[in-house]
Amino acid sequence: MRATLRLVWVLPALVLVGVFVYLPLVQNLQFSTLKWDIYSGSQEYVGLDNYAKLVDDPVFWSSLGNNALYAVVSVVFQVFGALLLAALIESIGSERWRRGLRAVYFIPSAISLTVAGLLFYFVYEPNLGPLNHALKAVGLGQFAQAWLGQESTAMSAIIAMSQWQGFGYSTLLFAVAIQRIPSEIYGAAAIDGVGAIRRFVHVTVPLVREMTGLMAIVTISGAFQVFNEVMVMTAGGPNNSTQVLGTWLYRSGFVRNNFGYAAAVATVLFVITLGIAVAQLWVTRRRRVEW
């Protein structure tokens, strides 16, 4: 009887997940085997031809490389950098200062990615943007340039904006994880004469391992699902230099009217993010922290 009641309560959630998550995944896999004109509605089964085209598509590979670069930079700043900053904030003796700093760093995360992208689009504007004016004001005018208009700097400029926007959120989560560490452990380390750096390395880092693993999963998965900031700031340009898998998927399906190819890109994106998540969950569970 209890098992039946549990099933009754769980069944609606299972139905919703099945209809809105797993069914679209299966349908997308089916779509990736078609040559589909979404405007005329004509469909032609082409098997794995769309995946074969991916292998020979230089824009797909450059998009994948941009996502990988995005992921590496995000891990450095939003995982390791955020952990270090959170440890510094939590080491401050004044609770008022700790709360104030948490709020200051979290404010950019409260801004939507679209708004942040528009804001930095203005910041990077070569003639009126404050970045070039600031460089000229401090005697570094030779570095002023069209940040979003050059292939060499456009992707880096977008990544810099995203790190500014997401850094505070990661810092706040790490601060919460550090607060959960029993103060007795830090007290014992202090009595043993362990310095601040060694306490961070040998106490803080190991005891926030689960949060570190979670943030790594979220950060890397998010880096491979980037879309809004690129569309707002460059739409993949100049010359496709800032295309990522999400924007190339959109452009292939809704601009170039190649919906089957776009579905193939989406399938590859799903496999990459799923593989990363499974691998990191496996590593995190094997190294679970208990106290």
Side-chain angles (χ1 to χ4, degrees):
M1 185 64 181
R2 289 183 177 179
T4 304
L5 288 175
R6 291 171 185 165
L7 181 60
V8 169
W9 283 104
V10 172
L11 188 59
L14 290 177
V15 172
L16 290 174
V17 171
V19 171
F20 293 104
V21 178
Y22 294 108
L23 180 59
L25 289 175
V26 174
Q27 288 180 322
N28 182 79
L29 187 61
Q30 177 188 359
F31 296 157
S32 69
T33 63
L34 302 175
K35 182 179 180 181
W36 185 0
D37 186 324
I38 61 174
Y39 300 113
S40 68
S42 63
Q43 298 180 6
E44 177 187 351
Y45 178 77
V46 295
L48 300 178
D49 284 0
N50 287 323
Y51 295 95
K53 290 179 182 178
L54 284 179
V55 177
D56 297 325
D57 184 358
V59 179
F60 167 77
W61 290 109
S62 65
S63 301
L64 182 60
N66 285 336
N67 279 113
L69 175 63
Y70 209 107
V72 171
V73 175
S74 295
V75 167
V76 171
F77 283 94
Q78 296 189 35
V79 179
F80 299 114
L83 173 57
L84 179 59
L85 178 60
L88 290 173
I89 292 175
E90 295 306 311
S91 67
I92 298 174
S94 171
E95 175 64 22
R96 179 178 298 178
W97 274 101
R98 290 200 300 271
R99 290 179 179 177
L101 288 172
R102 291 185 207 125
V104 167
Y105 283 107
F106 181 74
I107 287 174
S109 300
I111 303 174
S112 73
L113 279 171
T114 302
V115 174
L118 291 172
L119 172 64
F120 271 75
Y121 184 86
F122 170 71
V123 170
Y124 291 135
E125 208 281 329
N127 298 316
L128 301 175
L131 178 57
N132 281 349
H133 279 290
L135 289 173
K136 294 174 182 177
V138 297
L140 298 175
Q142 68 271 24
F143 294 107
Q145 55 192 295
W147 298 95
L148 297 176
Q150 300 180 149
E151 295 181 31
S152 59
T153 58
M155 195 66 215
S156 299
I158 295 174
I159 293 175
M161 182 281 296
S162 69
Q163 303 313 305
W164 171 84
Q165 197 271 343
F167 188 70
Y169 179 73
S170 302
T171 300
L172 187 64
L173 291 180
F174 275 117
V176 173
I178 292 172
Q179 291 169 15
R180 293 181 60 245
I181 299 175
S183 58
E184 293 82 1
I185 297 178
Y186 285 112
I191 292 174
D192 290 338
V194 178
I197 295 178
R198 291 183 60 194
R199 284 200 302 271
F200 173 75
V201 174
H202 297 291
V203 178
T204 304
V205 172
L207 294 181
V208 298
R209 188 180 297 150
E210 290 185 34
M211 178 59 73
T212 304
L214 174 63
M215 287 306 303
I217 293 172
V218 172
T219 300
I220 296 176
S221 297
F224 278 93
Q225 298 176 41
V226 169
F227 181 80
N228 285 4
E229 49 267 61
V230 177
M231 285 299 295
V232 168
M233 298 179 74
T234 64
N239 194 28
N240 290 322
S241 62
T242 60
Q243 292 285 2
V244 290
L245 292 178
T247 57
W248 188 234
L249 183 160
Y250 171 83
R251 189 170 187 82
S252 297
F254 297 101
V255 177
R256 302 172 69 195
N257 192 22
N258 196 344
F259 200 78
Y261 185 80
V265 176
T267 300
V268 172
L269 181 57
F270 168 73
V271 170
I272 290 173
T273 53
L274 178 64
I276 292 170
V278 169
Q280 291 181 324
L281 283 172
W282 181 76
V283 172
T284 303
R285 287 184 178 180
R286 284 173 57 90
R287 304 180 66 183
R288 187 175 296 276
V289 177
E290 296 182 0
W291 57 67

